[in-house]
Amino acid sequence: LIHSPNAVYDQLISEYGVAGLLAFIFFYTLYFLKTARQLTYGLPILLLMLMVLGVDYWFEQLSIIILFELLMLLNIKETQYKNE
């Protein structure tokens, strides 16, 4: 716990550099943002998760990230069924 990072973004920069942080933003975050027009409850969850990732290192607690991804993908799938 002494050497744990203060945020996910700090951990990404320290392990992978600026290129790793940009890759995270590009591949992970933009995947959900490109479907933001279709999201109903997913957009507030996405904004909350982006703020939480800046506060503490939440990737160690995988249950939170998995729950977030499950809710986001469920919301994307729900909107696809409504559009058909």
Side-chain angles (χ1 to χ4, degrees), residues 30-80:
L30 289 182
Y31 173 76
F32 293 118
L33 286 177
K34 75 177 184 179
T35 60
R37 291 186 195 117
Q38 301 171 357
L39 298 176
T40 54
Y41 61 84
L43 190 58
I45 293 173
L46 178 63
L47 295 175
L48 179 68
M49 194 63 177
L50 289 175
M51 289 187 299
V52 166
L53 291 178
V55 174
D56 202 1
Y57 187 58
W58 289 98
F59 277 137
E60 280 299 318
Q61 301 173 358
L62 289 176
S63 60
I64 295 172
I65 300 297
I66 291 173
L67 180 63
F68 160 73
E69 291 174 350
L70 177 70
L71 289 173
M72 291 298 292
L73 294 173
L74 182 65
N75 192 213
I76 290 170
K77 193 59 132 173
E78 286 174 348
T79 56
Q80 286 176 351

